C-alpha cells in the first residue's frame, strides 16, 4: 500500500494556512491547521484511539511494534502487554531503538536481540540499521505491519524520529505497512526553532533537513517524511491522531504519565532544556550526564561564576542562568567537581532552548580559556552545519548567529505547516 502526497494530506486532515510571521529572528511561527480539535479533560494518545476503534487498522495483519518503555497506556500498562493479550491483534515481534526496548542501554547503545520475558515475543535490535538491512529484519520477523509508538522530546538530534524515518523507508522496501501512533511533543509545538540541517552534515542524529527544534509530533513528522523525503518510494502510512492535545500544551498539561524516554531525560523539564544544552555534547564541557539533572546543568572542572554571570547578562527571555557546581558519576569529568551553569526556566512560553544553548556556547567561549570543541567537530552534526561553530569562534553573538539560520528556518516553517494536525 502506498499513498500519494494528496492522500497523505487527506490523512492529515489539514492543508494549513499561513499564519502571522513573528519578528524574532531564528524562530519560525506556526501555520494553523484548518480543523481544530475540541479540548478534552486530558490527552488521549494514538494508542488509545487505536484501541477505541477496536484495532481495526491492524485486523488480519501480523504486527511488529517499534517501541520502548514510553509506549504505555494512560494507566501505565505497556502497549506490548496489552496488544499481546488481545485476541484481536496478532502481535509477532518487537523492535527496539537506541537505549533498547526495555531502556537499559546508555546513549549510543542498544539492547541485544532476544525474547521478551513477559510475552515470549522475539525482540529485534533496530538501532544503527537502515535501508535494506532493516528491511531484511522486518522480512525475517514475518510481519505485515510496523507499528511505531515512542515518546519523542522535540529535538532533531534525538534519534527516535530517525528510527521512525528508517523504519518507514525500510517498510517501503520490504512491502510492509506503517502505523504511527501519535504522542504529545512534550515541549509543545507552537513553533520551530534553530538551524535547519544541511544534507552534507546528515548523520544518525539528523538524516534530513528539518529544524533543530521541529515543533512537531511523531505523526506529523511521519507525514512530512513520507511526502517530502521518501516521495520516490513512500511507505504505506497510516497515522492515528491524539485527541485533546493543542500546540501550546506542555507535557504537564496532558494528564499523561511521564516515562523517561531515555536514561538521561528523566523529567519533562529535562526535555525542555535538551534542544539547547545537548549542544554541549559537541564540546569538552559536561552536559550534566551522570548527575540528577542532566541537560539542566552544564559545566567543567575549572569553570567559575563568570560564565553564569555572562549568560545571565544576555537577558534571554524565559530563563535564568545560575552559578552551579556538580560532580558527575559517569561520562565527562566523572568523579570531579565541575563549575558551571544551571538553567532555571521561569516562563516556558517565552523560553527558546536553542537560543539558550547558543547563548551558553557563546559565553562559555568568552569566559573560560579551556573551552574547546570536540576534535571530530560533532557540534556540526548537532547543529546541522559548520556555521554555528565558525560563528562562535569568530566572536559572533546570539542574535547574529540566530539571524544566520533565519531564512532556512522560514523555508522549513512553510513546509512544516502543511503537515500539522493540531490547533
Amino acid at each position: 500500500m502506498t499513498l500519494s502526497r494528496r492522500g497523505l494530506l487527506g490523512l492529515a486532515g489539514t492543508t494549513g494556512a499561513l499564519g502571522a510571521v513573528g519578528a524574532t529572528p531564528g524562530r519560525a511561527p506556526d501555520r494553523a491547521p484548518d480543523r481544530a480539535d475540541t479540548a478534552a479533560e486530558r490527552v488521549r494518545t494514538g494508542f488509545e484511539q487505536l484501541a477505541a476503534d477496536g484495532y481495526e487498522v491492524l485486523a488480519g495483519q501480523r504486527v511488529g511494534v517499534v517501541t520502548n518503555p514510553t509506549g504505555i497506556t494512560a494507566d501505565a500498562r505497556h502497549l506490548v502487554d496489552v496488544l499481546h493479550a488481545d485476541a484481536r491483534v496478532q502481535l509477532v515481534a518487537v523492535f527496539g531503538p537506541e537505549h533498547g526496548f526495555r531502556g537499559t542501554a546508555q546513549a549510543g547503545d542498544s539492547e541485544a536481540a532476544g525474547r521478551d520475558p513477559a510475552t515470549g515475543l522475539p525482540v529485534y535490535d533496530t538501532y544503527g540499521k537502515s535501508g535494506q538491512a532493516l528491511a531484511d529484519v522486518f522480512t525475517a520477523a514475518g510481519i505485515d505491519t510496523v507499528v511505531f509508538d515512542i515518546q519523542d522530546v522535540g529535538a532533531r538530534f534525538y534519534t527516535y524520529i530517525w528510527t521512525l524515518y528508517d523504519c518507514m523507508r525500510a517498510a517501503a522496501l520490504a512491502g510492509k505497512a506503517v502505523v504511527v501512533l501519535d504522542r504529545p511533543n512534550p515541549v509543545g509545538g507552537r513553533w520551530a526553532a534553530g538551524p535547519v540541517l544541511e544534507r552534507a552534515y546528515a548523520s544518525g542524529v539528523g538524516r534530513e533537513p528539518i529544524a533543530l527544534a521541529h515543533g512537531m509530533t511523531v505523526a506529523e513528522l511521519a507525514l512530512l517524511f513520507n511526502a517530502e523525503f521518501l516521495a520516490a518510494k513512500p511507505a504505506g502510512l497510516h497515522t492515528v491522531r491524539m485527541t485533546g492535545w493543542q500546540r501550546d500544551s506542555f507535557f504537564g498539561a496532558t494528564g499523561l504519565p511521564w516515562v523517561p524516554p531515555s536514561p538521561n531525560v528523566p523529567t519533562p523539564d529535562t526535555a525542555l532544556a535538551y534542544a539547547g544544552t545537548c549542544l554541549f555534547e559537541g564540546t569538552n564541557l559536561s552536559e550534566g550526564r551522570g548527575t540528577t539533572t542532566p541537560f539542566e546543568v552544564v559545566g567543567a572542572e575549572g569553570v567559575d561564576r563568570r560564565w553564569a554571570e555572562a549568560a545571565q547578562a544576555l537577558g534571554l527571555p524565559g530563563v535564568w542562568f545560575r552559578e552551579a557546581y556538580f560532580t558527575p558519576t559517569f561520562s565527562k569529568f566523572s568523579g570531579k567537581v565541575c563549575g558551571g551553569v544551571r538553567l532555571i526556566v521561569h516562563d516556558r512560553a517565552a523560553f527558546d532552548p536553542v537560543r539558550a544553548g547558543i547563548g551558553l556556547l557563546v559565553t562559555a567561549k568568552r569566559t573560560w580559556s579551556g573551552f574547546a570543541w570536540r576534535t571530530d567537530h560533532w557540534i556540526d552534526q548537532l547543529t546541522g552545519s559548520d556555521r554555528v561553530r565558525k560563528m562562535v569562534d569568530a566572536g559572533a553573538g546570539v542574535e547574529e548567529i540566530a539571524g544566520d539560520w533565519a531564512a532556512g528556518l522560514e523555508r522549513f516553517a512553510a513546509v512544516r505547516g502543511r503537515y500539522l494536525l493540531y490547533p
Side-chain angles (χ1 to χ4, degrees):
M1 175 177 66
T2 58
L3 294 177
S4 67
R5 181 186 182 91
R6 180 175 298 173
L8 285 166
L9 293 176
L11 280 175
T14 174
T15 56
L18 183 60
V21 176
T24 304
R27 191 167 90 182
D30 271 337
R31 292 186 181 193
D34 293 333
R35 189 171 67 190
D37 288 335
T38 301
E41 185 177 71
R42 67 167 179 83
V43 170
R44 283 169 169 76
T45 65
F47 177 76
E48 289 184 79
Q49 297 302 114
L50 179 76
D53 291 339
Y55 306 108
E56 181 179 356
V57 72
L58 304 181
Q61 303 293 302
R62 290 171 58 84
V63 176
V65 176
V66 183
T67 191
N68 68 0
T70 66
I72 61 171
T73 64
D75 57 358
R77 292 176 296 154
H78 200 280
L79 83 157
V80 167
D81 298 326
V82 174
L83 292 175
H84 181 257
D86 198 308
R88 294 172 294 179
V89 180
Q90 190 179 4
L91 181 62
V92 299
V94 180
F95 304 97
E98 184 182 10
H99 307 293
F101 166 50
R102 298 174 191 85
T104 63
Q106 279 289 342
D109 203 356
S110 58
E111 295 168 344
R115 285 200 174 267
D116 175 35
T119 62
L121 291 166
V123 180
Y124 299 84
D125 179 15
T126 68
Y127 184 53
K129 297 180 178 67
S130 61
Q132 191 60 51
L134 184 53
D136 291 344
V137 172
F138 291 157
T139 299
I143 62 170
D144 302 309
T145 298
V146 179
V147 173
F148 183 94
D149 190 354
I150 296 179
Q151 177 63 61
D152 183 38
V153 302
R156 183 183 63 229
F157 37 59
Y158 206 58
T159 59
Y160 298 146
I161 62 172
W162 303 114
T163 296
L164 169 62
Y165 173 90
D166 288 337
C167 286
M168 291 172 62
R169 182 166 170 256
L173 291 172
K176 314 299 182 184
V178 177
V179 175
V180 177
L181 307 180
D182 213 4
R183 289 187 178 270
N185 185 323
V187 299
R190 296 159 296 152
W191 34 256
V196 174
L197 174 78
E198 295 178 8
R199 278 208 169 95
Y201 294 86
S203 71
V205 293
R207 299 224 187 270
E208 298 285 359
I210 66 172
L212 195 160
H214 50 72
M216 302 179 78
T217 69
V218 290
E220 292 171 338
L221 282 166
L223 294 169
L224 185 151
F225 290 164
N226 220 31
E228 301 293 334
F229 306 137
L230 300 174
K233 193 174 181 61
L237 176 65
H238 183 92
T239 60
V240 184
R241 293 178 54 162
M242 300 175 281
T243 62
W245 189 74
Q246 297 190 342
R247 309 207 74 82
D248 60 354
S249 297
F250 294 93
F251 194 84
T254 65
L256 297 172
W258 174 262
V259 174
S262 58
N264 290 290
V265 185
T267 71
D269 286 339
T270 317
L272 193 63
Y274 177 83
T277 51
C278 188
L279 296 175
F280 280 84
E281 284 188 357
T283 74
N284 63 336
L285 287 88
S286 168
E287 60 277 10
R289 294 182 190 273
T291 75
T292 58
T293 52
F295 303 107
E296 295 179 69
V297 292
V298 287
E301 188 178 22
V303 172
D304 61 27
R305 68 180 186 282
R306 289 174 293 176
W307 183 20
E309 291 171 352
Q312 181 67 10
L314 295 174
L316 295 177
V319 62
W320 297 316
F321 299 102
R322 181 179 180 275
E323 178 185 5
Y325 296 90
F326 56 93
T327 304
T329 59
F330 64 89
S331 194
K332 299 174 186 173
F333 301 104
S334 178
K336 297 181 179 180
V337 176
C338 295
V341 176
R342 178 178 299 278
L343 285 75
I344 300 175
V345 178
H346 61 85
D347 184 346
R348 292 180 177 183
F351 176 60
D352 182 334
V354 184
R355 281 173 178 269
I358 296 299
L360 287 168
L361 288 174
V362 166
T363 51
K365 172 80 171 176
R366 292 174 180 174
T367 60
W368 185 47
S369 61
F371 177 91
W373 305 109
R374 267 176 47 172
T375 55
D376 61 359
H377 287 167
W378 182 241
I379 189 67
D380 297 353
Q381 273 65 54
L382 294 173
T383 59
S385 78
D386 62 1
R387 296 288 298 159
V388 167
R389 173 173 56 84
K390 289 182 175 179
M391 293 184 77
V392 170
D393 283 346
V398 176
E399 296 308 312
E400 184 180 354
I401 295 170
D404 183 71
W405 70 57
L409 185 59
E410 288 290 336
R411 289 192 293 273
F412 171 72
V415 174
R416 169 182 176 270
R418 296 198 286 268
Y419 305 100
L420 301 182
L421 298 173
Y422 309 94

